[in-house]
Amino acid sequence: MTGVGTVAVLRALGLGDALTGVPALRGLRRAFPDHRLVLAAPPPWPRWLVEQGIVDDTVEQDGLTPTQWPGRPPDVAVNLHGRGPQSHEVLRGWHPAAVIAHACDAVGFDDGPPWCPTLHEVDRWCRLVEWAGGPCGREDLRLPGAGQPGAACAADGGAGGVVDGGLGAPVVVHPGAACVARRWPVSRWHTVVAALAASHRVVVTGTQAEASLCHEVVAGTNSAEDVCGRLSPRDLAQLVARARLLLCGDTGVAHLATALGTPSVLLFGPTPPSAWGPSIDQQLHQVLWHPEVTASGDPHADQVDPRLLAITTEEVLTAAEGMLTTAHCPPAGG
């Protein structure tokens, strides 16, 4: 690869952030077709994006700790992480020949568009990359590579695959979230899983750190499967791609369902769906949110957000059963 330029992209965040950044990454590919596109982000999801052909390589970057870029400094460094100043300083430490980022007075960087706090997360980064000459948009979210998009529209006795073992398309429930503010109570998830498991195949997913939470959710439900901590990124993507329905909060797996065209019921609390909700195929996704409830709007708070608590188990079950009995198929070829 001698002589090939490098575009280094900072997005040192989790799964949901990685996926909402995919359209911007595709825009950068169009803007710099002869360069290697390298994503600086925490493992393990960046390697899956390499498998999908979204980026060419990854560099481990967990948070905004200053790092040196391995090897020759990149030709272009792109800040898809934040508005600065800390993220801008990370890019400066890589000593790139050029920088693409939002304007930031704190570090004296004015060669970029102003930050707009009201945009949807997908649109925010597309706006930046389009400003730099890389056309992209919401339709670039689609990721068909992990499985067959729209498999949820098939009958329950679907073909199956690596994850489902040919047992039929499941209802996937992901009860966890990175922060307490976005975690709907375990007891309510348990009620939902128990009710759904009486007539549907239910698979509960989560990270290894969420093993005890998932165990509580499936306890006593008999038929519900707990695969918490047992799935690789590829396995999880395949499972979601083949699911009849996904139920979860405002977390990374929700964005996976959006990208793969899998129907979902999504529980939102501190953060409005207008900023982080599904931005394509709205007919596939039912968002539950109670904006009329007073809340701090802090997604990193140490207690469950009041808007999330306002969502009842009956509300979730009604939404789930409605989605399961109605054909919500993505457009042909989607």
Side-chain angles (χ1 to χ4, degrees), residues 14 55 83 116 152 171 175 180 232 238 265 271 277 281 301 303-304 309 311 313 323:
V55 295
R83 64 190 300 176
C116 182
V171 174
V180 175
S232 68
Q238 287 179 335
V265 173
T271 306
D281 301 331
Q303 55 186 354
V304 183
L309 287 175
I311 301 172
T313 55
M323 295 291 283

Side-chain angles (χ1 to χ4, degrees), residues 6-306:
T6 298
V7 177
V9 183
L10 176 67
R11 195 158 176 81
L13 299 162
L15 169 59
D17 302 275
L19 292 172
T20 54
V22 163
L25 291 170
R26 285 182 160 151
L28 289 170
R29 178 78 79 186
R30 295 170 187 138
F32 302 95
D34 299 323
H35 288 63
R36 294 177 69 244
L37 190 60
V38 182
L39 177 64
W45 280 95
R47 294 309 309 176
W48 184 72
L49 293 180
V50 173
E51 294 176 14
Q52 299 300 303
I54 305 300
V55 295
D56 298 307
D57 204 353
T58 67
V59 169
E60 186 169 337
Q61 174 81 37
D62 196 355
L64 297 178
T65 301
T67 57
Q68 290 188 338
W69 189 259
R72 183 171 65 88
D75 298 85
V76 183
V78 185
N79 188 349
L80 294 187
H81 185 99
R83 64 190 300 176
Q86 295 94 334
S87 51
H88 284 53
E89 293 291 358
V90 172
L91 266 62
R92 282 186 170 178
W94 296 345
H95 304 291
V99 170
I100 296 173
H102 287 93
C104 180
D105 292 340
V107 294
F109 183 81
D110 58 7
D111 187 19
W115 178 268
C116 182
T118 59
L119 289 176
H120 188 283
E121 184 71 3
V122 172
D123 298 334
R124 171 177 296 115
W125 303 111
C126 283
R127 174 173 172 264
L128 172 64
V129 171
E130 288 190 305
W131 172 88
C136 54
R138 292 185 175 192
E139 286 297 312
D140 286 313
L141 278 168
R142 302 187 188 280
L143 289 174
Q148 180 59 49
C153 299
D156 195 29
V162 174
V163 176
D164 59 42
L167 297 176
V171 174
V172 175
V173 177
H174 188 90
C179 298
V180 175
R182 293 183 283 117
R183 291 181 202 152
W184 202 48
V186 173
S187 60
R188 299 189 192 182
W189 279 122
H190 174 82
T191 299
V192 167
V193 166
L196 290 174
S199 54
H200 304 282
R201 180 180 174 224
V202 177
V203 177
V204 176
T205 64
T207 65
Q208 185 62 52
E210 295 166 340
S212 60
L213 181 153
C214 293
H215 179 74
E216 287 185 58
V217 169
V218 303
T221 59
N222 298 321
S223 60
E225 304 168 50
D226 180 2
V227 297
C228 187
R230 293 163 45 195
L231 303 182
S232 68
R234 180 188 300 174
D235 289 340
L236 179 60
Q238 287 179 335
L239 177 64
V240 173
R242 294 181 181 279
R244 294 185 66 202
L245 180 69
L246 169 73
L247 288 84
C248 69
D250 172 21
T251 190
V253 182
H255 299 288
L256 197 56
T258 300
L260 296 172
T262 296
S264 67
V265 173
L266 306 176
L267 286 62
F268 271 71
T271 306
S274 60
W276 282 93
S279 60
I280 56 173
D281 301 331
Q282 270 82 9
Q283 79 282 3
L284 287 175
H285 311 288
Q286 184 159 349
V287 175
L288 305 179
W289 190 52
H290 288 278
E292 74 281 0
V293 176
T294 301
S296 67
D298 180 5
H300 305 292
D302 58 3
Q303 55 186 354
V304 183
D305 188 83

